[in-house]
Amino acid sequence: MHAIDAVVPASVAALIAYALVGCGRRSAPAVLASPTRTPGVLNAEVTQATIGATICTHGWTATVRPPTSYTAVLKLRQMAEYNEAGSAAAYQEDHLISLELGGDPTDPRNLWPEPYPRASQVDRIENELNAQVCAGSLSLTEAQRRESALKHDYG
């Protein structure tokens, strides 16, 4: 194993641990993404060969992000499917495979209601994985696998 191979999983594990403890604050329980309802779906435009023109281009995710008019309705439906109650404002309709890692923007199988502040904590992990992919220290496929495991196992 190369030194970088050991550092990458260690840094992701540290980010996961950081997010799981909520930076020392109490947080709402995580909602685990259901492997059947939310298995994750990829954006066919994003591949290892196209990351330079897609996920590694500043501002690219804004070009594919779905409108809130779409996600707000989907969030309410999925909150019911996930048996989540309360204010919709307490949840982010999150992508299982984030846009930063080539997830499909609108497929409901790639979206689920994730409570705040957990959603914000996971955003940091998504950004770190994106940075590693764009730096060439982690493959796109491996980053997507790690993100899927995180959200299915820890929310």
Side-chain angles (χ1 to χ4, degrees), residues 106-122:
T106 57
D107 192 311
R109 297 169 301 160
N110 195 46
L111 289 149
W112 97 104
E114 186 173 31
Y116 290 108
R118 178 69 179 147
S120 298
Q121 295 162 351
V122 172

Side-chain angles (χ1 to χ4, degrees), residues 47-57:
T47 66
Q48 190 70 46
T50 65
I51 61 173
T54 57
I55 66 168
C56 296
T57 297

